[in-house]
């Protein structure tokens, strides 16, 4: 009787006083289960044709911040030395994409499935090291901050305010690149680093606060397009299919990076607003508001490195890509028009 009472009190003490330890045990258990299931359960292409990825996987962040591939040779699971085959086009591969239910990730998943690969979508990185996977991190042009060099090349270290209102994202991505390179140097993990510039296209969040989605949603709703500051600050906009092509070439290539992936076509905010007017409503109004703190004055990628080493450059201009995004937004805002799947650009 005494032992039973003592055991009961011990359990209660652990549950009430050692919650952090219980949390760690739960996380570790989940990781082990997910890892075992991902290895032991064969996943066929036909399975993904009937699975709604967004309904199946619950992700804490709808926008993918990081992407990792798990490349597994279906005919040889015990690949010598844990190396990842470099050629992806010859055989069907099983590929792990983290953040694959979000904006860029979902388009990447579409491309991989379309070419015959089997795709696993999860939201952790714990299998990169264990199976010798190649790891791709999607960084950002924000690592350059408010640049003093124009256009920005990968060799530029940036001009970032470490305590500003934007620094959490800027410095967070810079830290992510640092940790990725530490894994590469310290553990010999194969890594790839992409620095993504402003990207737009179907499936963007309608009210995510990004300038292209803001302008398009406001113009469609007959609201004034909000321009912060004098509207002379510049950005470069690439269509999502161009970005996906660049990510795939980077992942399948032999170069670590970092690589700038963006469209060097440069627009002021006022010029972007005019393109939106031309596409949606010539009478759309523009409303000026005070500029936000630490807003970069100029942003334009130097993609020389990507051209030379990846053979990549964007193919879709802003005036070509924006109507496809507008069709998608119009359908989602008003419920009319064709589904966005028919509006994606074939590449």
């Amino acid at each position: 009787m005494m032992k039973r009472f003592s055991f009961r009190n011990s359990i209660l003490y652990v549950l009430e006083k050692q919650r952090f330890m219980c949390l760690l045990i739960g996380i570790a258990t989940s990781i082990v289960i997910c890892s075992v299931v991902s290895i032991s359960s064969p996943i066929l292409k036909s399975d993904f044709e009937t699975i709604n990825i967004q309904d199946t996987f619950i992700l804490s962040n709808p926008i993918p911040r990081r992407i990792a591939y798990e490349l597994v040779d279906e005919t040889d699971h015990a690949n010598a030395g844990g190396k990842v085959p470099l050629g992806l086009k010859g055989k069907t591969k099983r590929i792990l994409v983290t953040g694959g239910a979000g904006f860029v990730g979902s388009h990447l998943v579409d491309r991989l499935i379309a070419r015959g690969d089997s795709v696993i979508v999860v939201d952790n990185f714990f299998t990169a090291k264990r199976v010798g996977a190649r790891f791709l991190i999607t960084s950002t042009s924000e690592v350059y901050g408010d640049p003093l060099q124009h256009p920005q090349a990968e060799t530029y270290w940036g001009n970032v305010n470490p305590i500003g209102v934007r620094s959490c994202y800027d410095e967070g991505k810079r830290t992510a690149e640092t940790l990725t390179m530490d894994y590469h140097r310290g553990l010999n993990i194969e890594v790839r680093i992409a620095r993504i510039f402003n990207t737009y296209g179907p499936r963007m969040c309608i009210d995510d606060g990004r300038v292209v989605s803001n302008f398009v949603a406001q113009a469609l709703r007959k609201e004034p397009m909000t321009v912060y500051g004098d509207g002379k600050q510049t950005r470069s906009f690439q269509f999502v299919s161009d970005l996906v092509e660049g990510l795939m070439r980077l992942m399948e290539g032999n170069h670590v990076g970092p690589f700038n992936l963006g469209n060097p076509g440069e627009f002021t905010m006022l010029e972007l607003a005019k393109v939106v007017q031309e596409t949606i409503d010539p009478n759309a109004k523009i409303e000026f508001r005070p500029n936000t703190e630490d807003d970069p004055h100029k942003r334009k990628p130097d993609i020389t490195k990507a051209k030379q080493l990846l053979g990549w450059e964007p193919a879709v201009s802003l005036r070509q890509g924006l109507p496809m995004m507008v069709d998608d937004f119009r359908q989602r805002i008003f419920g009319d028009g064709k589904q966005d799947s028919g509006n994606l650009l074939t590449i």
Side-chain angles (χ1 to χ4, degrees), residues 298-317:
K298 292 185 177 181
R299 186 65 58 73
K300 176 181 178 179
D302 182 337
I303 61 170
T304 302
K305 185 177 178 180
K307 284 182 177 180
Q308 293 177 346
L309 299 182
L310 304 180
W312 174 88
E313 62 181 317
V316 184
S317 70

Side-chain angles (χ1 to χ4, degrees), residues 150-178:
H150 192 76
Q152 297 81 55
E154 293 86 348
T155 53
Y156 178 54
W157 289 358
N159 177 41
V160 177
N161 176 3
I163 58 172
V165 295
R166 302 169 64 94
S167 62
C168 181
Y169 183 61
D170 299 357
E171 297 288 26
K173 286 294 190 177
R174 288 160 70 95
T175 301
E177 288 192 19
T178 299

Side-chain angles (χ1 to χ4, degrees), residues 1-14:
M1 186 70 178
M2 200 66 177
K3 288 184 178 179
R4 185 178 306 168
F5 180 78
S6 176
F7 178 76
R8 179 175 178 273
N9 284 348
S10 298
I11 294 299
L12 291 176
Y13 172 81
V14 171

Side-chain angles (χ1 to χ4, degrees), residues 181-209:
M181 287 305 298
D182 283 343
Y183 257 75
H184 173 61
R185 288 186 289 256
L187 297 175
N188 200 30
I189 301 296
E190 286 198 76
V191 301
R192 302 291 183 266
I193 301 175
R195 290 177 179 168
I196 299 175
F197 283 67
N198 292 65
T199 305
Y200 69 97
R203 303 182 201 162
M204 286 188 77
C205 293
I206 292 176
D207 298 306
D208 65 0

Side-chain angles (χ1 to χ4, degrees), residues 272-291:
L272 172 63
K274 290 179 180 178
V275 175
V276 173
Q277 287 176 323
E278 295 170 5
T279 306
I280 300 176
D281 181 5
N283 298 316
K285 306 297 183 183
I286 297 177
E287 180 180 281
F288 290 90
R289 295 185 182 179
N291 203 2

Side-chain angles (χ1 to χ4, degrees), residues 3 36 64 67 75 102 113 122 147 183 240-241 248 252-253 256 264 316 341:
K3 288 184 178 179
V36 171
I67 298 179
T75 61
I113 291 179
V122 296
Y183 257 75
V240 64
S241 63
M248 294 184 69
E252 297 172 6
V256 170
V316 184
S341 61

Side-chain angles (χ1 to χ4, degrees), residues 42 57 81 108 137 141 148-149 164 193 204 236-237 241 256 271 294 301 330 333 335 347:
F57 297 97
L108 179 59
I137 179 172
S141 60
L148 303 178
Q149 180 186 97
I193 301 175
M204 286 188 77
S236 301
F237 305 99
S241 63
V256 170
E271 288 172 338
D294 290 338
R330 181 179 285 114
I333 292 175
I347 55 176

Side-chain angles (χ1 to χ4, degrees), residues 47-65:
D47 294 330
F48 279 90
E49 293 174 345
T50 59
I51 291 179
N52 185 322
I53 292 177
Q54 292 192 13
D55 291 341
T56 305
F57 297 97
I58 302 174
L59 302 180
S60 60
N61 191 336
I63 301 175
R65 300 296 184 195

